C-alpha cells in the first residue's frame, strides 16, 4: 500500500510515450526552424501543423509525467495533432527534415493512441 501523496512509478508504456512526445516536440521545433530558414517555401498550413504538434506533444508529456487525470484525453488529442502534422510534412516528400518529422509524428501518434 502506498502512502497518501506518493507518486507511483510510470509504466514502461507511459515512459515510452513521454519519450516519443518529447522527441516529436524536438523534431517539430527543428523543422519549424528549417522552414523559416527556407523562407517562402514553407506553407502556412505546414507551419500551423508544426506549431500545434510541438505544443501538444510537450503538454501531453507534461501531463503524463504529473499523472494528470486528463492525460488519456490529452493523448487522444495529441495523436490527432501528430497525425495532422505528419500529413502536412508529407506534402514535401523531397525534404529530408520534413520526412524525419513525419516519421517522428507517426511514432508519437501511435504511442499516444495506445495511452488514450
Amino acid at each position: 500500500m502506498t502512502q497518501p501523496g506518493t507518486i507511483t512509478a510510470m509504466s514502461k508504456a507511459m515512459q515510452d510515450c513521454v519519450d516519443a512526445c518529447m522527441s516529436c516536440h524536438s523534431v517539430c521545433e527543428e523543422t519549424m526552424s528549417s522552414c523559416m530558414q527556407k523562407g517562402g517555401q514553407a506553407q502556412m498550413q505546414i507551419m500551423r501543423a508544426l506549431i500545434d504538434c510541438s505544443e501538444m506533444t510537450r503538454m501531453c508529456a507534461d501531463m503524463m509525467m504529473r499523472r494528470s487525470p486528463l492525460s488519456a484525453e490529452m493523448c487522444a488529442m495529441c495523436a490527432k495533432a501528430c497525425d495532422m502534422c505528419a500529413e502536412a510534412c508529407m506534402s514535401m516528400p523531397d525534404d529530408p527534415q520534413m520526412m524525419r518529422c513525419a516519421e517522428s509524428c507517426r511514432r508519437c501518434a501511435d504511442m499516444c493512441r495506445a495511452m488514450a
Side-chain angles (χ1 to χ4, degrees):
M1 178 151 53
T2 60
Q3 296 194 356
T6 37
I7 296 177
T8 57
M10 264 196 269
S11 69
K12 170 98 170 82
M14 187 179 282
Q15 184 59 57
D16 288 347
C17 189
V18 167
D19 293 344
C21 283
M22 294 308 295
S23 177
C24 188
H25 168 73
S26 178
V27 173
C28 284
E29 290 289 324
E30 291 169 14
T31 305
M32 279 188 274
S33 178
S34 175
C35 285
M36 286 188 275
Q37 288 174 359
K38 292 177 184 175
Q41 293 179 9
Q43 300 171 3
M44 287 308 296
Q45 176 184 355
I46 295 171
M47 288 300 288
R48 272 196 286 281
L50 286 164
I51 292 167
D52 288 351
C53 189
S54 174
E55 291 298 313
M56 191 71 70
T57 53
R58 184 195 50 77
M59 185 183 295
C60 188
D62 288 349
M63 291 177 81
M64 283 187 285
M65 286 187 282
R66 68 174 172 262
R67 314 309 191 277
S68 170
L70 299 173
S71 62
E73 290 90 342
M74 180 53 107
C75 283
M77 288 181 59
C78 188
K80 186 174 182 177
C82 287
D83 286 337
M84 290 173 66
C85 190
E87 188 175 316
C89 288
M90 291 301 294
S91 71
M92 296 180 73
D94 295 333
D95 186 315
Q97 180 64 36
M98 288 290 187
M99 294 302 96
R100 183 171 161 244
C101 189
E103 181 182 325
S104 182
C105 288
R106 279 195 213 102
R107 179 175 183 270
C108 188
D110 290 344
M111 302 288 277
C112 283
R113 263 190 287 283
M115 289 287 106

